[in-house]
Structures are given as C-alpha cells and as structure tokens.
Amino acid sequence: MRFKLIGLLTILSISSVLAQPDPRLKKLEQEMHRVLQQTMAPGFAVAIVEKDKIIYSEGFGYSDYENKIPVDANTLFAIGSTSKAFTSALLGQLRDDNKLSFNDSPIKYIPELKFYNDELNNNVIIEDLMCHRTGLSRHDLSWYLFPTFDKDSLIRRVQYLEPFSGIRQKWHYNNFMFLVQGVITERITGKSWEANITDLILKPLSMDRSNTSITELEQSDNAALGYKLRPDSTIHRMDYYHIAAMSPAGSINSSVNEMGNWLITWINKGKFKGEQIIPEAYINEAITSHMTIGGLPSKQLPELHFTDYGYGWFVSSYKGHYKVDHGGNIDGFSAKVTFFPTDSLGIVVLTNQDRSALPSLVTNILADRLLQEQPTDWLANYNKTLAEALKKMEKETDTIAEDEPTDTPPSHPAEAFAGKYGHPGYGDISVTAKNDSLFANFRLKKFYLKNQHYNVFETCEVTETGIDTTDNNPLRLNFRINDDGELSSIFIRIERALDHPLEFKRLTE
C-alpha cells in the first residue's frame, strides 16, 4: 500500500510539473489583446515554435469583423511575400538533384527572358534573383495595376523595366525576379509553380489546408477576410487581391499552425518528422548574408543592427541573437515569419489588417520574452513613431498645398484627354470622359482624375461605395502635348526608385 501511495504521489508530482505554464508566456494574452486594441486590427493569430514543436498557438480578434467570427490558430490568411522563401527553396531542392546551378544564367532556362540592357543579359545569374541584387527597380505597379494570369506575359515585360543601379551594386527588392525563379522551376519540372509548391513542400510538411491562390482561399472554411484601417480610424473591408501570375512572389495562404511546420523545418536544418524536406546545405546557405542592405544601430535601439539578405530571407542581429525573418503584405493582410537559428525558436504572426505594424510588434514582444532579454516597450515606440509620422504627413500636405499653383485649368476639354495610353513594361490605361469628369481605367481598378493644376491630375479610386479620397499618396498623371497641340502621352512617377517619370504613349485606336 505504501509503495502504491508513493507511486501515486510521484505521478501526481510529474503531472503537476508538466502542467505548469511556461513562465516566458505569463500573462501573454493580456499583452496580445493590448496590441490588438492599440493597432485597431480586426484580428490576428500567432504561433511559437521551439525546437521541433509548436509550444503555443492562438487567435485573437475576428476573421470576419462584421459578423464577429473569431480567429483561431487554424484560420487561413494570405501570407504575401513570406511566400518568397518557399519559391527559393524549390530551387534549393532542384540544385540538390543536380538540375541547376545558382551560377547559371536564368536565360538558360527561359530563352525568351530579356533584361533592359546587355550588362544584365550577359551577367545576371540565378543567385542574383534570389537575393535582390540585379539592380532592377521594383516596378510593382506593372503587375499590381496591370495583372495577368499568364506568367509568360509578365516575363516579356522584364526587358522594358529600367534598373536604377548596376548589377550587384545595391540591394533593391524586386518581385519580378521571384516570378522568374518560379518559372525556372516550371521549365525544369514541367509542372506549374503552384503544383511544385504543393507537391514538394506543402504536402510533405502536412500543410494540408494551405494553398496558392485566392480562388482556393475563397473556397476554404475558416478563412479570414481582409481589412484596412482608414485615416478616420474606421475598419474597412477590402476585396481579396488575385496576385495571379506573380504568384511565386507572394500568393500562398496559410494558418499559423501550418506555418509552424514550415518554421520547424528551418530550425531543424530542413528536416520535418525525421524526413529531409529541404537540403541542409541549402538551409545553411539561404540564411547566410548574400547582399548587404544596411542597418546602423540607432541611439534608441543600439542592440538592433545590420540587415542583410539571404535567399528569400532577411538576416539581422536582434539583441545579440542571429535573426532570420521576412514580412508579407497584400491587400487586407500582413504577415511576419521569424526564427532564431542558434536559439531554436520561431514565431509566425498573421493578421487581416492591410500594411499593419502588428506582426512586427507581436514578434518583438515575443522575442524579448522567449530570448529572456530586457524587454523594450514596443507599443510605446509604435505610438511615438506613429504620432511623429502623422505630424510629418500633415506638415508635408500643408507645404504641398501652399506650393501648388491655383486657377490653372486643363488645356483641353475633358473629351480631348480620352483615349488609350500604353507602356510596354506595364500595360494600357484607358482614359474616359463622362459629364466633364475624367477617369483612368486600369485592368482591375478605376480612378477618378481630380485636376490638380493645368494637365496634372490626382487619382482617387472608384469603389462600390463611391470615390475614395482617403489615399494619402495617390498617383499623379501628367498629360503632355505634342507639337501639333494634341495630348500625346501621360508621364507618371510610377516607380519611385527612378529619378524620372515613365511615359505612357497615346495609342492609335
């Protein structure tokens, strides 16, 4: 009897120890709700990985804000550019199978691919695509405002996309180069990028509900809707954005529980449940610096410094810890995927708020807890930075308003501006006139053209509820006149890395 009692007490003692909550996560929910409240996000989910296990996963707020449907750890979100590490990992698998070299020219696999000049055509290698060092500007509005589901069509635009620096001189983010990586995998395997991602990564990692398109997301149960926070502090529903042919750069949809499996794989040198899914040699190479970005320490945060880029990952120092991470943003959604290789810790945060600071805030708060470092008041820093940014924005708006000329109407009647204008690296803009008002029609979006002065117009998006005038940084269309006095082109500062606007020439009907 005495031995039975001792055995029972031993079992109870062990059970008690196992049931003890992780002290690093004490009162975590309270802090997470505070972040949700401060950022005014509809909802978010977070998962924490340690070694080969998910030690915490939870949802906060709502996946459907109007109907108050709660987020949980299995809610699907668009993960945006955190998809990039998946695309480059496919190349790592193909290299391990001796099907390519990172020193190969991408033109070897895509013969019709042409760059803006011979320097790029003759010197760009696959590794340059993987770490954003081709010197190409982003040119994101080429695919965002002029989308297509034809990857080959987007590939043909590359030759018209102007670089802003020489090859390997400066780091500059470029989604087109991840499209090229995805097409390389298609040409080698004979399968679509979407099928390769599903068969070679998602299925082996038991990411069974994750998918690669908005169409699949719309057909899924427990999928979040996207929202944005307007300047008047109202939460506004956004339509899903079909990233279409640019899918290799950011079209994956997933949950924090399934993204936890992705982090487990990276923390464990490419292994998941004992199987080598991603080659270990590639894992080590991908999280090593291949291009310097910058990142001098600030007076406020001297412990945060240096930022470089690997293959689809940023690498940096966080309070003395080696950090690997990547963010993601697409209409209505923001994401952050982070891991600390030498600490065997990982964090994924997904939210249904557009261009949200929440993923970084939550990641940093959790990193301080998990790494047991002196905590920084990240919310206070956020509120201070936000207040300073709003003040600066108001000052700049007032300055622009004072400097802009007034009483300078357009040179021609509205009907004279109507017509099609095109750029080979972007696409066609159809300008239409209705009741003396002008509209610029892009493939998926329509803008009301508000006259600023003379032939310069600001753009205000036309939505189902009317004209949205809340955009603080609209495109400006500057119509130019030829020697015959006819409106012949539109100049638009559509790529900010370049020091000049791009010309959309008027097309013959």
Side-chain angles (χ1 to χ4, degrees):
M1 184 68 173
R2 178 172 172 270
F3 291 109
K4 288 183 180 180
L5 181 60
I6 291 173
L8 179 60
L9 290 173
T10 301
I11 292 170
L12 290 173
S13 176
I14 292 172
S15 299
S16 176
V17 170
L18 293 174
Q20 290 298 315
D22 191 325
R24 297 171 298 177
L25 306 180
K26 186 179 180 181
K27 296 183 179 179
L28 178 61
E29 281 73 16
Q30 296 177 22
E31 198 160 13
M32 295 297 97
H33 282 295
R34 192 156 56 246
V35 176
L36 186 70
Q37 183 181 26
Q38 290 282 311
T39 58
M40 299 185 69
F44 75 96
V46 57
I48 300 170
V49 169
E50 187 164 36
K51 296 180 181 177
D52 61 351
K53 292 183 175 62
I54 297 175
I55 63 170
Y56 180 89
S57 62
E58 189 59 80
F60 301 88
Y62 304 107
S63 61
D64 181 337
Y65 185 76
E66 291 81 7
N67 295 304
K68 299 297 183 283
I69 298 174
V71 171
D72 61 42
N74 294 311
T75 300
L76 293 177
F77 294 81
I79 70 169
S81 287
T82 61
S83 304
K84 286 181 168 62
F86 287 79
T87 296
S88 291
L90 288 178
L91 295 183
Q93 292 173 324
L94 291 173
R95 185 182 67 174
D96 195 57
D97 292 336
N98 297 314
K99 293 182 179 179
L100 61 73
S101 165
F102 292 172
N103 291 318
D104 289 340
S105 167
I107 298 172
K108 174 181 178 180
Y109 303 94
I110 312 173
E112 70 273 26
L113 172 66
K114 296 291 182 289
F115 291 94
Y116 191 80
N117 55 39
D118 286 339
E119 179 192 7
L120 294 172
N121 285 327
N122 297 331
N123 293 292
V124 167
I125 60 175
I126 290 174
E127 185 176 310
D128 297 324
L129 316 178
M130 301 168 75
C131 51
H132 299 300
R133 65 185 192 196
T134 61
L136 273 176
S137 304
R138 291 186 68 145
H139 294 285
D140 277 340
L141 293 186
S142 171
W143 59 267
Y144 184 83
L145 287 179
F146 305 88
T148 174
F149 281 89
D150 183 358
K151 294 188 181 78
D152 292 340
S153 174
L154 283 187
I155 289 290
R156 287 192 292 273
R157 295 182 193 179
V158 171
Q159 65 181 305
Y160 303 105
L161 303 181
E162 190 175 345
F164 85 109
S165 75
I167 185 173
R168 304 184 195 107
Q169 290 181 4
K170 293 183 179 180
W171 180 90
H172 200 74
Y173 199 83
N174 188 280
N175 284 298
F176 272 93
M177 297 302 97
F178 275 78
L179 161 70
V180 173
Q181 291 175 62
V183 174
I184 288 173
T185 69
E186 293 185 343
R187 299 297 173 88
I188 291 174
T189 65
K191 299 193 300 184
S192 70
W193 170 86
E194 290 79 0
N196 283 323
I197 287 291
T198 301
D199 295 342
L200 300 177
I201 296 180
L202 299 184
K203 286 182 179 178
L205 297 185
S206 299
M207 299 176 70
D208 301 321
R209 296 186 64 246
S210 299
N211 56 62
T212 58
S213 72
I214 290 299
T215 300
E216 292 171 287
L217 182 67
E218 290 173 326
Q219 296 170 354
S220 302
D221 295 328
N222 193 10
L225 302 176
Y227 297 87
K228 69 176 178 180
L229 183 65
R230 283 182 159 172
D232 61 1
S233 297
T234 58
I235 296 173
H236 178 70
R237 168 83 183 276
M238 295 185 77
D239 291 334
Y240 289 133
Y241 179 78
H242 288 262
I243 198 169
M246 193 53 77
S247 52
S251 71
I252 294 174
N253 309 299
S254 190
S255 67
V256 294
N257 269 346
E258 294 196 352
M259 287 297 289
N261 293 348
W262 174 241
L263 281 176
I264 286 170
T265 306
W266 281 86
I267 288 170
N268 290 278
K269 302 291 186 180
K271 285 188 175 181
F272 182 71
K273 294 183 177 178
E275 294 292 325
Q276 193 75 45
I277 308 302
I278 303 173
E280 182 175 349
Y282 173 79
I283 291 279
N284 294 332
E285 197 174 332
I287 62 175
T288 299
S289 171
H290 293 278
M291 191 62 184
T292 298
I293 299 171
L296 291 173
S298 65
K299 291 182 179 179
Q300 295 79 14
L301 298 168
E303 66 274 27
L304 307 184
H305 55 86
F306 101 74
T307 304
D308 293 350
Y309 205 83
Y311 298 152
W313 291 107
F314 291 93
V315 293
S316 60
S317 172
Y318 183 90
K319 299 186 177 182
H321 300 265
Y322 195 87
K323 182 175 79 168
V324 180
D325 76 308
H326 211 291
N329 292 282
I330 196 67
D331 291 28
F333 296 90
S334 302
K336 190 80 166 179
V337 181
T338 306
F339 66 102
F340 300 87
T342 56
D343 298 283
S344 297
L345 289 167
I347 304 164
V348 55
V349 185
L350 307 176
T351 181
N352 54 344
Q353 184 181 56
D354 189 58
R355 301 180 188 180
S356 180
L358 183 147
S360 291
L361 285 171
V362 171
T363 298
N364 290 344
I365 289 168
L366 290 176
D368 287 347
R369 284 170 167 263
L370 296 167
L371 299 171
Q372 300 183 63
E373 292 291 341
Q374 180 67 31
T376 299
D377 193 340
W378 293 108
L379 270 177
N381 285 353
Y382 164 74
N383 288 326
K384 181 182 178 182
T385 303
L386 182 62
E388 290 173 350
L390 291 173
K391 187 175 180 180
K392 182 180 179 182
M393 190 183 300
E394 289 173 3
K395 185 177 180 179
E396 288 176 350
T397 302
D398 292 341
T399 302
I400 291 171
E402 290 172 1
D403 292 342
E404 286 178 350
T406 57
D407 299 324
T408 50
S411 61
H412 292 63
E415 292 77 12
F417 290 84
K420 278 192 175 181
Y421 302 79
H423 184 286
Y426 284 72
D428 297 346
I429 304 170
S430 175
V431 177
T432 56
K434 183 178 181 181
N435 300 330
D436 293 327
S437 294
L438 285 173
F439 298 88
N441 304 277
F442 294 81
R443 193 162 294 179
L444 286 183
K445 292 180 181 289
K446 181 178 181 180
F447 295 91
Y448 165 69
L449 297 184
K450 178 184 177 183
N451 185 239
Q452 183 192 4
H453 66 89
Y454 194 50
N455 289 342
V456 178
F457 295 81
E458 292 182 348
T459 54
C460 302
E461 188 175 353
V462 179
T463 67
E464 292 181 357
T465 57
I467 296 174
D468 185 358
T469 59
T470 62
D471 192 345
N472 294 316
N473 192 25
L475 287 175
R476 294 186 179 189
L477 276 61
N478 186 352
F479 289 81
R480 300 289 180 90
I481 301 171
N482 62 19
D483 292 342
D484 296 325
E486 299 170 335
L487 293 156
S488 59
S489 60
I490 306 173
F491 281 76
I492 311 175
R493 286 298 300 269
I494 204 164
E495 175 46 58
R496 295 190 174 278
L498 301 177
D499 59 4
H500 57 271
L502 298 184
E503 182 181 14
F504 288 72
K505 295 181 178 179
R506 189 162 196 160
L507 306 175
T508 303
E509 292 291 346

